[in-house]
Amino acid sequence: MSRNADLAALVRDRAGAEPPELGLILGSGLGHLAGAVEGVAIPYADLPGLPHAGVSGHNPQLVIGQLEGRRVAVFGGRAHYYESGRADAMRPALELLRDLGCERLILTNAAGSLRPDIRPGGLMLLSDHISFAGTNPLIGEASDARFVPMTDAHDPDLRTALKSAAAAEGVALPEGVYCWFSGPSFETPAEIRAACILGADAVGMSTVPEVILARFLGLRCAAVSVITNMGAGLSAEAISHEHTKAMAPLGAAKLERVLRRLLRQS
Ligand code: HPA
């Protein structure tokens, strides 16, 4: 039995065999959403291969159970490229999701906005992304499956469902392009100006490798940013991880309403 099959067997043993209908990966300051799920929480430390999720503001456990009457698998924290230099650090988590029979995934993150109409405390649905980190989680993958098409990587049906859930909740959910910078330093104002010229609407340090891996593994995915600040140089406000963690709960409350509505509607 492969290591991944072992992992799925371990999770089924503890949380039951029914496939999750939706997977969720929670970003910085958003990990508490895992607490809303009625189910079994398994610390990443019990799941060999899963990241240690060493960034404060993350909640390193997998919770499988019911949210709004639907079976979900929620990863309370993620590993970032900047923690280890490995862009594929979330691959075991995504493979686990696939092995559990889950076919849909929603990724969340904290991000800086480049658009005056998308303010801190608001949400942005990713319509597409730009990878600006100079790496790819599939480097080293030997199979031809590595040549993953990235057109409609952000699943149109899932995005439509999210927009309809947001509208029903009265939550603004503009769409925009997310630009992945490696971090961990924040961007310079010149980099933010460059990202604007390139067509980005928000910047962040995660999510893009997971979208690539999800498409590689055949999972349909969409991603939502919780805007915690304006990009460097676009406002007088100082940018810091503390600020990200302090601001994330504002958007997280809206995100939770949208996700709950999505589950009730689907
Ligand atoms: N840049 C990159 N990542 C972020 C930001 C930002 O401004 N805000 C929250 N995560």
Side-chain angles (χ1 to χ4, degrees), residues 24-221:
L24 274 168
I25 296 180
L26 304 178
S28 288
L30 309 173
H32 75 277
L33 272 182
V37 178
E38 290 164 34
V40 175
I42 309 174
Y44 288 177
D46 292 359
L47 298 170
L50 259 70
H52 291 283
V55 182
S56 62
H58 284 249
N59 181 3
Q61 54 180 2
L62 168 62
V63 187
I64 300 197
Q66 300 293 122
L67 190 61
E68 298 296 333
R70 301 283 173 169
R71 188 161 164 87
V72 295
V74 182
F75 292 89
R78 59 157 54 88
H80 305 80
Y81 169 55
Y82 62 72
E83 291 172 67
S84 62
R86 295 198 55 151
D88 65 351
M90 287 300 282
R91 184 165 171 167
L94 295 175
E95 285 174 341
L96 170 60
L97 210 50
R98 179 205 52 191
D99 293 345
L100 291 172
C102 184
E103 293 172 353
R104 297 190 311 165
L105 171 66
I106 293 180
L107 303 154
T108 68
N109 59 52
S113 172
L114 309 188
R115 278 213 345 230
D117 61 318
I118 306 181
R119 309 299 305 175
L123 305 179
M124 188 189 91
L125 175 62
L126 277 64
S127 57
D128 203 345
H129 67 241
I130 297 169
S131 177
F132 211 63
T135 188
N136 190 295
L138 294 175
I139 288 174
E141 167 64 37
S143 70
D144 274 0
R146 64 188 158 183
F147 301 113
V148 186
M150 293 301 289
T151 310
D152 285 339
H154 297 261
D155 188 73
D157 291 343
L158 208 40
R159 278 160 51 206
T160 300
L162 278 162
K163 280 185 282 190
S164 135
E169 283 297 318
V171 171
L173 188 60
E175 281 197 305
V177 173
Y178 173 96
C179 184
W180 175 36
F181 280 85
S182 77
S185 56
F186 285 98
E187 300 74 31
T188 63
E191 285 165 343
I192 291 296
R193 287 195 299 276
C196 288
I197 291 166
L198 291 177
D201 299 294
V203 291
M205 305 178 194
S206 68
T207 303
V208 168
E210 292 148 37
V211 173
I212 296 169
L213 287 166
R215 295 310 301 137
F216 170 70
L217 296 169
L219 299 169
R220 290 164 52 206
C221 66

